[in-house]
Amino acid sequence: MKTVAQYAPGARVEIRDEEWLVKATLQVQAGSGAALRVVGISELVRNHEAVFLTDLEKITELKPEETTLVADTSPQFRRSKLYLESLLRRTPPTDEKIYLGHRAAMNDAPYQLEPAHQALSALRPRILIADGVGLGKTIEVGVLLSELIRRGRGERILVVAIRSMLAQFQEEMWARFAIPLVRLDSVGLQRLRAKIPANKNPFYYYNRVIISVDTLKNDAQYRHYLEQTRWDVIVIDECHNVANSGSARNRLAGLLARTGDSLILTSATPHNGRPESFANLMNMLEPTSIADPNDYTSAEIAGLFVRRFKKDIEAQVAGQFSKRKDHLLKIPAGAPEETFFAALAESTFHTLDRGTTHDALYRVTLLKSFLSSPAACLETIAGRLSRIERRLALLRGESLAGADVDDDEAHQFQPALLRDERKRQQLVELLTADAQTLTSLRAGVAAVTRPAFSKFNRLVALLRQLRAVAGPDSPRVLIFSERIATLEFLQEQLIAEFNAHESIIPIFHAGLPDVEQTSLVESFGKEDSPIRILLASDVASEGVNLHHYCHLLIHFDIPWSLITLEQRNGRVDRYGQHQSPHIHYLLTVPHNPLAQGDLRVLDRLIEKEQEAHKNIGDAATIMGLHDAQKEEQAVLAGVAAGLPPEQIIPDESPEADWLAILLGGAPANERPTADSMQGDWPSLYADDLAFARAAFAELHDADPTLPLPEYYDHQPGFALIAPDELRRRCEFIPREAIP
């Protein structure tokens, strides 16, 4: 019996007819055998770790000096060449060159290789890909993942994305890079739970997984499992959603960052205007990079990010972007709409926000909702009337058990707290007056019926002009609105207008289950999709690719945020769009001078977004707020205060963009070229097809009953009937990938 020392780490042994590499040995007891910790080498057990006892197993050590040389009698030493080629292909690269990623199903450009090239130069590949909207960050992730897999550093991969991106990210990785990710949406998780015991860690069942950030952020359910799981690579897509310190998403990202060797973050908007939010992301990548999150330099975070915009890479992508065409359609208001605009301009409110006077701001809020649709405005008014009724009831001392009353509201409007009867009565009168004003406005909105809704009539005329009439040969159209009430109105009316089915004109919004969101994105990206008109809320403005068979986008209402406007347009105006995107903005214009003045800010929003698109690259730098919600609040407040549009949305931010200054960026002529980033791996064959031909010929000569593949003359590929072993392996491909 051999001693522990005779099974040295690195020795190759044969146990149970399989080949293993010894990692460590441990003496079981004095004078007895040893326990061998091994990792599999042969195909059946490759990368599988096990422990064998020498006194229970038959162990044969494979010694190099005992190798028997056998003459190669195959034609032109084919067998030897195949063996040596297989060894070459299994040898991992050790430098930062790109050997595999650029050969994916894509029209590669040098800028797409830069993130992988930069990340691979570090000991631990960790990088933030912060390219602008529509530049193809998912493809850049795929290039890096391919290289990590090639190096043996990407066996276990976890991708965390927003719900609407799950299907798209999974499809891009599979169709372009042949990387199979199992999608754990609500259905996928249900399927997994049915397969494994309740106490088994679900993240060990699959090696490559994509899951929603909102699913994982459930600390109680998943934190214990995540803490015990190690990953080779973790990808967090749209990482600005996890940048805010203290949030559940931020805690999740911090945990994941510690459980993965390589970390890839992506976002077109990587900060919210505050240095500390960007520092949070940098410290996820490298915990020691930034000492003071409020004050740091580019030297502290060098090598941890890339950030480019369309203007930076246009010279590299000729033909992959088409020139955008914008159309602002101003629709004169009809008589009922004019009546409402005039009534709203003269309205005043007194008790809107816990007793304070914000009548001008609420008036603009009503204007904004009416510009979306009468249905949205009626919903806004109904919500305010309901709140007034609750407050009046509280002042009368009535019980509101089961009603939706927040603690602050209940506290402020309890009669016991309003000891001054005169003050209480004054509040009752003001609330009653506001209710009467809102009731009158509600009647004005209700008068704008379907035939009197000018903007909808113009939409129908535009769709007919574009021949987008929901028929099987109609071009696809993407219509955005921020209000679900508006989307529901549009769906009902367009279905009636074009005599279409709901499946042809569906609604995409955040309230849909993840499976339905996934299904809509998948369908809209296919040539044979039944969808002709996709009605979308702003949840569809972030990340998803909607450009494959669509170049027509209509803003039924215009968002009061440059960031949201840029994100919406980026759904069809992005890398790989081969038709000129046509962007249509619909805006109802009243004759009332006050309302006209309020609407000038929307002209300014469109103008500045177009300017950013052509020259700046990042619309968020104009207002300097770097957050869509903050931008909208600032625009609303500015309009309510009567500020001119040029002051609300300046030509440039009053403060310098600290991130642009911090990141700098190499000039185009200093950026690395494709040749300098790509590497050529040594090979005994001219290309992959020549290698495959030789391998199949060798198999056929060894067993003539095996059929040869059918090769194509017009393309480098072949077709074959899958043998049983390949069929069994295909069972492990994610079922979404099989079609």
Side-chain angles (χ1 to χ4, degrees):
M1 183 179 297
K2 291 196 174 186
T3 64
V4 171
Q6 288 175 294
Y7 291 113
R12 296 165 78 103
V13 295
E14 186 177 85
I15 307 174
R16 301 184 186 180
D17 298 323
E18 297 296 337
E19 192 173 338
W20 307 81
L21 183 72
V22 176
K23 295 182 68 176
T25 57
L26 178 66
Q27 189 76 46
V28 176
Q29 54 182 250
S32 184
L36 266 61
R37 287 186 58 233
V38 296
V39 61
I41 297 176
S42 54
E43 184 174 3
L44 185 63
V45 296
R46 183 170 296 140
N47 297 324
H48 178 74
E49 295 193 9
V51 177
F52 294 112
L53 299 176
T54 58
D55 52 0
L56 295 181
E57 304 286 350
K58 179 183 177 182
I59 302 175
T60 304
E61 185 175 6
L62 304 176
K63 299 180 179 180
E65 62 268 23
E66 294 176 358
T67 302
T68 302
L69 299 178
V70 179
D72 183 0
T73 58
S74 61
Q76 298 180 324
F77 306 106
R78 182 176 62 202
R79 199 172 302 147
S80 297
K81 285 180 64 179
L82 286 170
Y83 175 71
L84 293 173
E85 181 72 13
S86 68
L87 292 180
L88 283 172
R89 288 173 178 253
R90 281 188 290 179
T91 304
T94 57
D95 60 7
E96 71 277 10
K97 297 277 189 179
I98 310 297
Y99 293 96
L100 186 64
H102 63 289
R103 300 167 64 187
M106 62 189 233
N107 297 317
D108 64 297
Y111 84 92
Q112 294 173 322
L113 308 183
E114 285 185 47
H117 183 257
Q118 178 175 306
L120 292 170
S121 63
L123 186 62
R124 290 198 309 165
R126 300 169 81 86
I127 191 168
L128 165 63
I129 303 175
D131 289 344
V133 175
L135 264 63
K137 291 181 286 296
T138 306
I139 291 178
E140 295 169 359
V141 170
V143 172
L144 179 50
L145 287 180
S146 298
E147 292 301 319
L148 291 171
I149 292 170
R150 176 71 178 83
R151 288 158 170 77
R153 303 175 67 178
E155 181 65 22
R156 287 183 49 76
I157 299 172
L158 174 67
V159 177
V160 181
I162 57 177
R163 286 191 298 173
S164 58
M165 283 288 294
L166 293 180
Q168 176 180 300
F169 203 106
Q170 181 194 35
E171 184 176 355
E172 292 272 300
M173 290 301 105
W174 174 244
R176 294 185 184 275
F177 300 94
I179 299 174
L181 299 173
V182 177
R183 188 168 75 219
L184 293 184
D185 51 20
S186 57
V187 172
L189 281 169
Q190 204 172 29
R191 192 183 300 142
L192 177 58
R193 290 191 184 107
K195 285 184 177 181
I196 64 175
N199 62 346
K200 185 174 177 64
N201 190 333
F203 302 114
Y204 276 128
Y205 192 82
Y206 295 114
N207 273 342
R208 294 171 182 173
V209 168
I210 181 168
I211 193 168
S212 162
V213 62
D214 290 314
T215 298
L216 275 189
K217 73 180 182 183
N218 187 334
D219 278 6
Q221 189 168 7
Y222 293 112
R223 185 176 183 89
H224 174 67
Y225 290 133
L226 289 172
E227 286 176 338
Q228 297 180 344
T229 307
R230 295 294 303 176
W231 303 92
D232 295 325
V233 191
I234 291 173
V235 180
I236 302 179
D237 193 39
E238 305 293 351
C239 65
H240 55 272
N241 292 307
V242 304
N244 291 332
S245 181
S247 66
R249 288 178 170 185
N250 179 259
R251 291 194 300 270
L252 165 67
L255 169 61
L256 292 175
R258 299 190 297 271
T259 60
D261 295 328
S262 300
L263 179 62
I264 307 171
L265 308 177
T266 75
S267 176
T269 53
H271 71 101
N272 58 10
R274 301 196 308 270
E276 56 267 29
S277 70
F278 190 74
N280 282 339
L281 297 178
M282 293 296 98
N283 282 329
M284 286 180 199
L285 295 169
E286 178 50 65
T288 61
S289 61
I290 296 176
D292 182 356
N294 296 300
D295 184 17
Y296 49 94
T297 66
S298 58
E300 293 177 72
I301 55 174
L304 293 176
F305 56 85
V306 291
R307 183 160 172 81
R308 289 80 47 91
F309 297 100
K310 185 177 176 181
K311 61 184 177 63
D312 301 319
I313 53 91
E314 277 186 312
Q316 301 180 20
V317 292
Q320 293 301 317
F321 283 99
S322 297
K323 188 175 181 180
R324 191 176 104 187
K325 298 180 180 178
D326 296 278
H327 313 272
L328 175 56
L329 307 179
K330 293 189 174 183
I331 303 110
E337 293 166 325
E338 285 287 2
T339 300
F340 173 79
F341 280 123
L344 181 62
E346 297 171 359
S347 298
T348 56
F349 303 93
H350 309 91
T351 60
L352 296 174
D353 291 301
R354 301 190 179 112
T356 58
T357 304
H358 290 297
D359 55 307
L361 184 59
Y362 184 66
R363 183 179 59 78
V364 177
T365 300
L366 281 177
L367 172 65
K368 182 172 179 286
S369 66
F370 185 72
L371 289 172
S372 180
S373 71
C377 191
L378 287 172
E379 185 179 68
T380 301
I381 292 174
R384 180 60 68 178
L385 281 172
S386 175
R387 191 172 185 182
I388 288 175
E389 286 299 321
R390 292 198 307 270
R391 292 179 173 184
L392 284 170
L394 287 169
L395 287 170
R396 291 192 294 263
E398 297 175 6
S399 173
L400 292 180
D404 183 19
V405 182
D406 62 64
D407 292 339
D408 289 339
E409 187 175 55
H411 180 77
Q412 183 175 2
F413 287 89
Q414 286 289 354
L417 296 174
L418 297 172
R419 301 185 185 281
D420 187 336
E421 176 61 26
R422 188 176 62 82
K423 181 179 179 183
R424 189 176 72 84
Q425 185 58 37
Q426 184 183 30
L427 267 177
V428 170
E429 291 173 359
L430 291 174
L431 284 166
T432 303
D434 282 351
Q436 291 171 347
T437 301
L438 287 168
T439 301
S440 175
L441 288 173
R442 181 174 61 184
V445 177
V448 185
T449 58
R450 154 69 179 84
F453 190 6
S454 303
K455 188 169 62 169
F456 178 75
N457 295 332
R458 184 66 181 89
L459 171 68
V460 172
L462 174 62
L463 291 173
R464 293 192 181 281
Q465 176 187 333
L466 298 172
R467 299 181 180 178
V469 293
D473 298 324
S474 301
R476 293 187 204 177
V477 181
L478 175 61
I479 301 179
F480 271 110
S481 171
E482 70 171 11
R483 299 294 295 267
I484 294 178
T486 302
L487 296 173
E488 291 173 343
F489 167 84
L490 290 175
Q491 183 185 50
E492 178 184 353
Q493 296 300 324
L494 291 176
I495 284 175
E497 182 72 30
F498 298 128
N499 191 27
H501 188 267
E502 185 178 318
S503 62
I504 296 173
I505 310 178
I507 298 177
F508 184 99
H509 62 83
L512 294 177
D514 55 2
V515 176
E516 289 187 38
Q517 291 189 30
T518 293
S519 176
L520 284 173
V521 172
E522 279 185 326
S523 179
F524 201 69
K526 294 177 180 177
E527 188 173 7
D528 59 353
S529 172
I531 300 174
R532 297 294 98 189
I533 300 174
L534 180 60
L535 305 171
S537 72
D538 287 322
V539 70
S541 69
E542 189 174 50
V544 294
N545 292 334
L546 301 174
H547 68 292
H548 294 301
Y549 298 98
C550 177
H551 67 286
L552 303 174
L553 187 152
I554 299 173
H555 296 277
F556 191 74
D557 53 37
I558 299 168
W560 294 38
S561 159
L562 285 165
I563 293 174
T564 304
L565 196 57
E566 180 185 50
Q567 289 277 10
R568 282 187 183 184
N569 291 340
R571 295 317 97 214
V572 298
D573 181 21
R574 58 194 299 107
Y575 180 82
Q577 174 62 270
H578 299 298
Q579 298 190 64
S580 292
H582 284 259
I583 313 293
H584 297 83
Y585 307 87
L586 303 185
L587 179 60
T588 304
V589 180
H591 296 298
N592 184 284
L594 179 58
Q596 279 187 350
D598 291 342
L599 297 186
R600 286 172 51 216
V601 74
L602 297 181
D603 291 330
R604 180 72 173 174
L605 277 164
I606 295 170
E607 173 194 336
K608 298 308 291 183
E609 191 278 335
Q610 291 172 348
E611 181 182 309
H613 172 73
K614 293 175 183 176
N615 304 317
I616 303 173
D618 185 7
T621 61
I622 294 175
M623 295 186 69
L625 297 174
H626 300 277
D627 180 273
Q629 189 173 359
K630 290 180 181 178
E631 284 190 345
E632 181 177 318
Q633 291 169 349
V635 172
L636 283 169
V639 173
L643 300 178
E646 294 76 16
Q647 187 174 341
I648 299 172
I649 306 170
D651 287 326
E652 58 184 28
S653 173
E655 298 181 6
D657 181 13
W658 62 269
L659 182 60
I661 296 171
L662 184 70
L663 300 189
N669 59 356
E670 293 183 13
R671 294 193 179 278
T673 63
D675 289 340
S676 68
M677 291 185 285
Q678 294 175 14
D680 292 321
W681 198 252
S683 175
L684 303 177
Y685 294 88
D687 52 36
D688 289 342
L689 185 58
F691 175 48
R693 279 180 177 271
F696 280 119
E698 178 62 29
L699 290 172
H700 181 73
D701 286 355
D703 183 359
T705 63
L706 291 175
L708 285 170
E710 178 183 352
Y711 297 99
Y712 301 116
D713 295 330
H714 61 285
Q715 64 181 15
F718 55 83
L720 77 159
I721 298 173
D724 290 340
E725 289 185 9
L726 181 56
R727 288 181 184 276
R728 283 194 293 271
R729 178 164 293 192
C730 285
E731 292 176 3
F732 294 94
I733 293 175
R735 62 177 57 193
E736 301 91 355
I738 292 174

